[in-house]
Amino acid sequence: MTKSLPWWLRDLLWLALFVAVLVGLAYGLDAIPIVGMAYYNRILVLMGINITLAVSLNIINGHAGQFSLGHAGFMAVGAYFSAYLTFYHFAPRLDKMPAGTEQWLMQNVFLVIAVLCGGLLAALAGYLVGLPSLRLRGDYLAIVTLGFGEIIRVFILNIDKIGAARGFSGIPHWGNFFWVFLVCGLAIVISWRLVQSSVGRAFLAVREDQVAAEAMGIDTTRYKVKAFVIGSFLAGVAGGLYAHYTMYLNPQTFMFVKSFEVVAMVVLGGLGSISGSVVAAVILTFLPEGLRSVKDYMPGGRDPRMVIYSIMLIVLMLTRPQGLFGRRELWQVFGRKKKRDQSEAPPVQ
Amino acid sequence: MANGNALLDARDVTIRFGGLTAVSHFNLGIQPHELVGLIGPNGAGKTTVFNMLTGVYKPTEGQIFVGGVSTHDFKPYQITALGMARTFQNIRLFKELSVLDNVKIGGHIHYKYSAAAAVLKTNRFHEAEEAAEHDAIELLKIFGLENRAGYYAKNLPYGDQRRLEIARALSAQPKLLLLDEPAAGLNDRETRDLLQTIRDIHKRFDIAILVIEHNMELVMELCERIVVLNFGKTIAQGTPGQVRENPVVIEAYLGEPAEAAGI
């Protein structure tokens, strides 16, 4: 069905299919009669947000090779800006409308607008941070982006209108499973299609050898900034959904620790591997939750959760320093066992 | 303006690093389809010239024209777009990418499109990708690398890496190809092969080639015209025969004649 249809129709059909599956899943999950389903649902949604964050950071760190430690900053920009729009502009307008289908429809339209605006502002921030990366490499860039993330946080901490240190509460609960996983799916597709294109090849070339990339006619500056803009846009969108799901934002959430968490996902999955980022995001979201019950078996009820979590990270990095899948994708790693991957085979002389 | 149809025209180019004049009053014109060699002993300034031509360094004085356009304010990637591609002395392939992707990236300026086109897979995307794939495979066939298209570049033998680098540069469809010490690190047999490869592509693609080498033999055999540099100055210029007989060149390479040194 793919070749004969025009590109936009083909993509629309796939999107429609994806939406239908998500709607089905969303209703299905609500219908499961387990105690604490709300808790599992929440973890699932946070997992979706984490996947989006990891995949978006992977574009910057993994594909373009620009080590950024400011992802929480971009997420914060998207989260706060979209929450601001909703809280001060959209929600009051929605409240005036009579309840019903029309209101429900407008709510989702407002959500999309708010989240997209949040993403766009985050993209602008990404552009501004991308600019110094023209000059800085490696560690230096990491420190600049780390500083940038903190600047954003401190900036937010001093704006009273969005709650300052108290946190921003009262954001309406518009985000849900459906929207989070729609965005998550789109982020994965965007990232995948980019890396399969000339844009993605330019990213990879910049990562591999900047001098050679420049000699091949690649405007390295432009592509670095491009990676930052795309990555931070997706992070901003993820942040917007996070705000509309948790209904409360606190500057503490967007400390550099959050950035490290996302970096850990990307590195653990394998820098540059999209499926690696997804799998690592799933593991690192579930692991701390799954370890909650360990406490019950400990003397004195101490909670060794974070200790186990850290030890597992260390062990993983010691045994697989290149990450779970290295630079390859899930199917390439497992497909290799049956049929040796050509790119891995030693050259025949 | 520059000499009408010269592909490359370096005029009175001088570069100083602090007080050191690395290259002084260097002149070089390359016409379409010429095969020119630039030689000189170690430290003569060959690589500095190369870096100025490709835009890595800016000359302190003088002008360089590529295809009639002054490249003074151009970045390396803009100079590539003017129709000049290069290889590197110490191979700089994209090691962790496939052989095919290396060649495709070489043709970046011809097959690029917007990120939006990539994400939406528009018609432009399909056209460009098909062209990129087709042209890359064709190039790999010429170099006999089509069977290794899926290999990581780093897994190729050294000689093949050299050839892949040339293939990658050709993928930019240049009018002028700069080869920076292409024979460095190759054994005699590989050097022979390389010589043949360079001759072949010179004929097949109808391009001009500038070879920088300090391997005299290779350049003597390959080039129609040779420029000899020493201590940043052009000391001789001419056909291989003329250069070989030139006493100044012999002195530069072998040292002063015994009697002149007073032994």
Side-chain angles (χ1 to χ4, degrees):
Chain A
M1 78 179 258
T2 44
K3 267 278 161 176
S4 50
L5 292 173
W7 56 269
W8 51 272
L9 189 59
R10 181 200 58 214
D11 279 0
L12 267 180
L13 284 176
W14 280 114
L15 187 65
L17 183 71
F18 185 49
V19 166
V21 169
L22 277 184
V23 170
L25 272 177
Y27 278 109
L29 278 174
D30 279 345
I32 298 176
I34 317 177
V35 181
M37 193 55 214
Y39 164 69
Y40 293 120
N41 208 331
R42 184 184 168 85
I43 306 220
L44 222 55
V45 167
L46 291 181
M47 180 188 91
I49 289 169
N50 279 340
I51 293 175
T52 313
L53 286 172
V55 167
S56 62
L57 184 67
N58 186 44
I59 297 175
I60 304 174
N61 284 18
H63 294 153
Q66 305 300 302
F67 211 85
S68 164
L69 284 177
H71 224 50
F74 300 129
M75 186 192 175
V77 171
Y80 269 94
F81 188 57
S82 64
Y84 166 83
L85 286 178
T86 300
F87 189 81
Y88 288 104
H89 298 285
F90 297 154
R93 233 165 262 185
L94 199 73
D95 288 341
K96 283 187 206 125
M97 290 173 73
T101 321
E102 202 180 325
Q103 194 201 27
W104 174 83
L105 208 64
M106 275 322 280
Q107 176 193 314
N108 286 313
V109 171
F110 280 147
L111 174 73
V112 171
I113 296 174
V115 164
L116 279 182
C117 288
L120 288 176
L121 195 68
L124 182 70
Y127 176 75
L128 294 177
V129 180
L131 287 178
S133 76
L134 328 177
R135 293 168 190 287
L136 302 172
R137 288 181 199 185
D139 314 353
Y140 303 101
L141 178 67
I143 290 168
V144 167
T145 51
L146 181 71
F148 164 81
E150 286 298 284
I151 289 171
I152 299 252
R153 195 178 59 84
V154 173
F155 198 69
I156 291 168
L157 207 55
N158 285 290
I159 303 176
D160 201 52
K161 211 165 182 200
I162 51 175
R166 294 187 307 278
F168 194 168
S169 53
I171 308 162
H173 187 69
W174 291 353
N176 50 30
F177 177 88
F178 170 78
W179 285 116
V180 167
F181 277 88
L182 182 68
V183 164
C184 178
L186 289 179
I188 293 171
V189 170
I190 287 173
S191 158
W192 176 248
R193 287 189 170 182
L194 276 178
V195 82
Q196 297 290 321
S197 74
S198 75
V199 181
R201 283 198 298 272
F203 286 165
L204 299 175
V206 170
R207 176 189 81 190
E208 291 292 314
D209 190 326
Q210 208 164 305
V211 176
E214 188 101 353
M216 295 300 113
I218 292 171
D219 184 349
T220 50
T221 307
R222 209 179 122 119
Y223 279 95
K224 282 192 227 166
V225 173
K226 220 177 233 187
F228 262 102
V229 167
I230 296 170
S232 48
F233 171 77
L234 291 173
V237 169
L241 287 172
Y242 176 81
H244 287 84
Y245 184 76
T246 58
M247 304 187 287
Y248 173 73
L249 293 174
N250 191 306
Q252 290 284 329
T253 317
F254 303 106
M255 293 246 294
F256 60 87
V257 177
K258 180 73 194 169
S259 295
F260 286 155
E261 224 175 89
V262 186
V263 169
M265 290 171 192
V266 174
V267 173
L268 187 70
L271 273 167
S273 166
I274 299 170
S275 47
S277 299
V278 174
V279 171
V282 172
I283 294 175
L284 291 193
T285 313
F286 278 114
L287 201 58
E289 301 299 330
L291 290 174
R292 269 182 206 281
S293 55
V294 177
K295 175 171 73 172
D296 303 339
Y297 305 101
M298 290 294 286
R302 290 192 188 84
D303 191 356
R305 193 153 66 103
M306 290 327 278
V307 178
I308 300 175
Y309 177 84
S310 323
I311 289 174
M312 287 178 91
L313 278 187
I314 293 169
V315 168
L316 238 153
M317 280 292 102
L318 283 177
T319 49
R320 274 195 81 79
Q322 74 276 45
L324 286 175
F325 305 145
R327 272 178 178 159
R328 282 163 299 143
E329 300 294 342
L330 183 69
W331 48 93
Q332 292 168 321
V333 174
F334 287 103
R336 194 159 50 109
K337 283 186 183 136
K338 279 170 256 156
K339 184 186 68 169
R340 264 182 85 84
D341 189 314
Q342 250 202 335
S343 51
E344 276 288 287
V348 232
Q349 185 63 324
Chain B
M1 262 319 284
N3 186 351
N5 52 0
L7 288 177
L8 179 81
D9 192 7
R11 293 185 169 186
D12 244 6
V13 174
T14 299
I15 187 165
R16 293 189 193 93
F17 299 108
L20 177 81
T21 306
V23 174
S24 84
H25 302 289
F26 177 77
N27 282 289
L28 178 67
I30 296 183
Q31 303 296 321
H33 204 65
E34 258 194 308
L35 232 170
V36 183
L38 179 65
I39 59 172
N42 282 327
K46 300 186 297 284
T47 301
T48 310
V49 166
F50 208 90
N51 281 334
M52 285 193 287
L53 298 181
T54 50
V56 178
Y57 296 150
K58 287 210 181 313
T60 323
E61 283 163 33
Q63 290 262 50
I64 296 170
F65 297 90
V66 176
V69 183
S70 166
T71 61
H72 192 71
D73 298 316
F74 278 38
K75 299 222 174 75
Y77 75 90
Q78 293 167 312
I79 295 177
T80 307
L82 291 176
M84 193 167 90
R86 69 171 291 187
T87 63
F88 294 87
Q89 184 177 338
N90 45 346
I91 304 179
R92 301 191 84 136
L93 287 168
F94 305 118
K95 293 194 190 69
E96 300 263 344
L97 304 183
S98 72
V99 168
L100 185 65
D101 277 347
N102 267 281
V103 180
K104 279 185 184 173
I105 291 169
H108 179 81
I109 46 177
H110 300 288
Y111 315 113
K112 62 180 173 190
Y113 39 81
S114 69
V119 169
L120 295 172
K121 290 202 175 182
T122 59
N123 296 338
R124 164 81 189 129
F125 164 86
H126 286 295
E127 281 162 22
E129 282 303 297
E130 268 162 36
E133 177 98 15
H134 175 264
D135 295 355
I137 298 274
E138 287 301 308
L139 259 176
L140 286 178
K141 275 185 190 155
I142 292 170
F143 285 85
L145 289 168
E146 79 271 24
N147 294 327
R148 301 181 182 178
Y151 283 28
Y152 282 149
K154 65 174 179 188
N155 289 345
L156 288 182
Y158 190 78
D160 281 350
Q161 292 196 9
R162 282 254 170 240
R163 287 142 58 80
L164 176 58
E165 232 200 356
I166 298 176
R168 183 180 68 175
L170 283 174
S171 176
Q173 300 167 19
K175 295 188 204 84
L176 171 63
L177 178 65
L178 307 190
L179 302 174
D180 192 358
E181 302 218 2
L186 297 185
N187 62 29
D188 276 354
R189 200 182 63 95
E190 287 169 328
T191 308
R192 292 272 115 210
D193 290 349
L194 182 82
L195 198 69
Q196 200 48 49
T197 309
I198 297 176
R199 280 204 184 111
D200 284 350
I201 58 175
H202 181 234
K203 259 190 220 119
R204 189 192 279 259
F205 294 94
D206 194 30
I207 52 174
I209 299 179
L210 172 65
V211 185
I212 298 201
E213 255 299 345
H214 73 207
N215 181 336
M216 278 272 249
E217 267 174 69
L218 177 93
V219 176
M220 290 291 173
E221 204 162 320
L222 186 68
C223 299
E224 300 152 355
R225 187 154 66 87
I226 293 174
V227 179
V228 190
L229 268 186
N230 198 18
F231 298 114
K233 293 197 176 88
T234 309
I235 55 170
Q237 201 170 157
T239 62
Q242 290 167 341
V243 168
R244 205 195 310 265
E245 304 299 321
N246 194 321
V248 189
V249 177
I250 297 170
E251 192 185 312
Y253 264 87
L254 300 175
E256 293 172 51
E259 48 294 11
I263 300 169

